[in-house]
Amino acid sequence: MVAAKPKVSYEECRRKRLEENKKRMEALNLPQLSQSLRSSSSSPNSTPMKQSKPRTVEKRVVVVRRSSRVANMPAPVYREVVIDRVAVPRRIFKRRDPLNLVYASAEAREYALEKAEQLQSTLEPQYPTLVKSMLPSHVSGGFWLGLSVQFCKSSLPKNDGVITLVDEDGEEFPTIYLARKTGLSGGWKGFSVAHELTDGDAVVFQLIKPTTMKVYIIRVNGFDKSEEP
């Protein structure tokens, strides 16, 4: 029968481990090295850490190299220029409700368009003309009137500006012409509301001056009257 080994307490194991570690440190001469490092760091003759000097940037005024073609030319002078925005006098009109808009039938629209083309054929040929059938977007909502691209490029100004519309009574309505978008914006609503344009009406534009157009209106409701006995 094998005798049981006596139990060793935790404190006894810990003490033996500390003694073994101490002997290893003495064998490697670690206590003396640690002491020497402490004494050297606390010595007044120890060399302090060098501080890096701040970087200095030298600024100079130099002559910018210029092309030989413009080297002898005076430097350009820039100045602010105030550009007047294109604006038209504002008029107050009653707001038109798109829900109450009467939509034209295909027959009525075609009738008004034919009558407008007949009127167009009687006008002076030296003045450019354009016939436009009114759509809901022309006479309600955003009130934007897009014109024929060919008509705009051949007859109207190349830049944005004011184009005056003159009705059959001679009353003038200034509008904003947007060259890139080839259409009338601000001011067209006032003309449309003042003349009670509706879906299907046909409008004849006659360019009598570079920025002035005479306007003739053919009513779409003329189709209903023509059908009456």
Side-chain angles (χ1 to χ4, degrees):
M1 184 174 180
V2 181
K5 294 183 179 180
K7 294 184 179 180
V8 181
S9 65
Y10 169 78
E11 292 295 333
E12 184 67 20
C13 293
R14 182 173 177 275
R15 184 181 61 78
K16 289 182 178 181
R17 192 175 298 110
L18 290 174
E19 290 179 357
E20 291 176 359
N21 291 339
K22 184 176 180 181
K23 290 180 180 179
R24 291 194 187 100
M25 293 176 63
E26 291 176 351
L28 296 173
N29 201 21
L30 292 178
Q32 289 78 2
L33 291 174
S34 176
Q35 185 66 28
S36 61
L37 288 174
R38 291 176 182 174
S39 59
S40 61
S41 61
S42 60
S43 175
N45 296 327
S46 59
T47 305
M49 182 180 295
K50 294 183 178 180
Q51 297 182 354
S52 59
K53 295 182 179 180
R55 182 181 178 184
T56 57
V57 180
E58 184 180 0
K59 296 182 180 180
R60 295 182 181 180
V61 179
V62 298
V63 179
V64 179
R65 295 182 61 185
R66 303 177 66 187
S67 171
S68 58
R69 291 181 298 153
V70 297
N72 298 325
M73 296 176 63
V77 178
Y78 300 95
R79 64 178 181 178
E80 294 184 352
V81 178
V82 178
I83 301 176
D84 293 334
R85 295 183 60 187
V86 177
V88 297
R90 299 199 64 179
R91 301 185 183 184
I92 300 176
F93 299 95
K94 290 179 64 178
R95 184 179 180 86
R96 180 177 295 176
D97 187 0
L99 298 178
N100 296 329
L101 185 66
V102 178
Y103 295 93
S105 65
E107 295 82 4
R109 183 184 300 277
E110 186 64 25
Y111 167 84
L113 195 58
E114 288 180 0
K115 290 294 183 181
E117 291 173 349
Q118 292 176 10
L119 173 63
Q120 181 186 30
S121 64
T122 64
L123 299 176
E124 299 88 337
Q126 66 269 28
Y127 299 116
T129 56
L130 173 68
V131 176
K132 190 75 177 178
S133 180
M134 295 293 100
L135 299 175
S137 60
H138 301 153
V139 296
S140 65
F143 288 92
W144 163 257
L145 181 66
L147 303 175
S148 166
V149 175
Q150 182 178 1
F151 177 79
C152 293
K153 289 187 176 181
S154 61
S155 304
L156 296 184
K158 307 301 180 184
N159 300 315
D160 298 349
V162 176
I163 288 185
T164 302
L165 304 181
V166 182
D167 64 14
E168 297 178 67
D169 294 329
E171 188 175 359
E172 297 183 352
F173 293 79
T175 62
I176 297 296
Y177 171 66
L178 302 179
R180 281 192 357 181
K181 295 185 176 181
T182 62
L184 300 180
S185 179
W188 167 251
K189 175 182 178 180
F191 181 90
S192 175
V193 174
H195 294 83
E196 299 182 346
L197 293 179
T198 188
D199 180 47
D201 285 347
V203 180
V204 181
F205 297 92
Q206 182 186 29
L207 187 66
I208 57 177
K209 292 181 181 180
T211 58
T212 303
M213 290 195 292
K214 183 79 174 179
V215 183
Y216 303 89
I217 301 172
I218 305 299
R219 300 294 179 180
V220 70
N221 58 13
F223 173 76
D224 297 329
K225 294 179 182 179
S226 66
E227 293 293 314
E228 294 178 358

